[in-house]
Amino acid sequence: LIYLAEKADEDEIREKAIFWLGQREGEKELKFLVKVAKSDPSSDVREKEVFAISQMKSDDATDELIDLAYHARENNAREKAIFWLGQKASKKAVEALEDVVNKDDDEEVQKQAVFALTQLPDHRGVPNLIKIARTHPSREVRKKAIFWLGQSDDPRALDALVEIMGK
């Protein structure tokens, strides 16, 4: 699979090999996927790498997704890593999403992290969204958090929206 992912002439074959490498869960496979996610000339293949890493259940895979969310060479790959962190929903992933929302230089990436917080199970992202809606320095990011709070059926979201609108 590594040979096909690295050497096949057609991106479609490489992408399929990458998918199955992500299902293998091994350390060797993870290291290969990370290498390709950071260096492959095809942006489509790099996106598939991020997805394949997201399918691995190890803490190391989550750490690599976090690293890609911060350091992937293009925003599209960073945004995909952020999206998949929201699906992981681990404490470490949530902390990374908060960090991206609050510290990243790119507003679009920040808004993607806001969306990822909405994907956490059991409304676990609502407190984060409320804080962002109240305090984030970017008006656009606050608006995005408010929008997603409005889509929530969590009573805390409604209370926060009423309070925010009252100001």
Side-chain angles (χ1 to χ4, degrees):
L1 287 173
I2 288 174
Y3 176 83
L4 288 172
E6 197 168 36
K7 305 286 186 192
D9 291 332
E10 295 179 36
D11 282 356
E12 183 178 348
I13 292 171
R14 294 175 57 227
E15 290 171 3
K16 287 180 181 184
I18 287 163
F19 171 83
W20 288 109
L21 284 168
Q23 304 302 306
R24 302 236 4 216
E25 299 281 337
E27 185 177 323
K28 178 180 175 183
E29 289 83 358
L30 177 60
K31 285 182 180 182
F32 173 79
L33 291 171
V34 169
K35 179 185 85 165
V36 175
K38 292 181 178 179
S39 64
D40 198 275
S42 167
S43 64
D44 289 340
V45 171
R46 286 192 306 271
E47 280 186 38
K48 299 293 190 260
E49 296 289 346
V50 172
F51 173 75
I53 293 167
S54 78
Q55 299 304 292
M56 297 177 140
K57 293 171 180 52
S58 72
D59 286 339
D60 289 341
T62 300
D63 290 342
E64 293 298 347
L65 269 182
I66 291 169
D67 186 63
L68 287 167
Y70 290 127
H71 303 296
R73 68 182 187 179
E74 58 190 31
N75 282 356
N76 196 28
R78 292 180 63 215
E79 290 174 5
K80 296 289 183 195
I82 288 166
F83 173 82
W84 290 114
L85 281 172
Q87 304 300 308
K88 288 253 182 216
S90 70
K91 181 179 182 203
K92 192 184 299 188
V94 173
E95 289 171 357
L97 292 172
E98 289 175 338
D99 196 44
V100 169
V101 169
N102 292 312
K103 296 179 182 171
D104 200 273
D105 293 333
D106 189 301
E107 197 170 80
E108 291 305 313
V109 172
Q110 290 175 341
K111 290 193 278 187
Q112 181 63 38
V114 167
F115 173 74
L117 288 167
T118 71
Q119 300 300 295
L120 298 173
D122 303 321
H123 301 286
R124 284 184 26 215
V126 168
N128 308 80
L129 293 170
I130 291 170
K131 182 178 178 186
I132 294 163
R134 287 178 176 154
T135 65
H136 198 278
S138 166
R139 182 174 191 260
E140 292 303 312
V141 174
R142 285 193 316 271
K143 281 174 46 178
K144 191 59 75 172
I146 289 168
F147 170 82
W148 288 113
L149 286 169
Q151 302 302 307
S152 170
D153 60 357
D154 188 297
R156 297 171 297 174
L158 179 60
D159 292 344
L161 289 172
V162 168
E163 179 221 319
I164 291 166
M165 297 304 167
K167 288 185 177 182

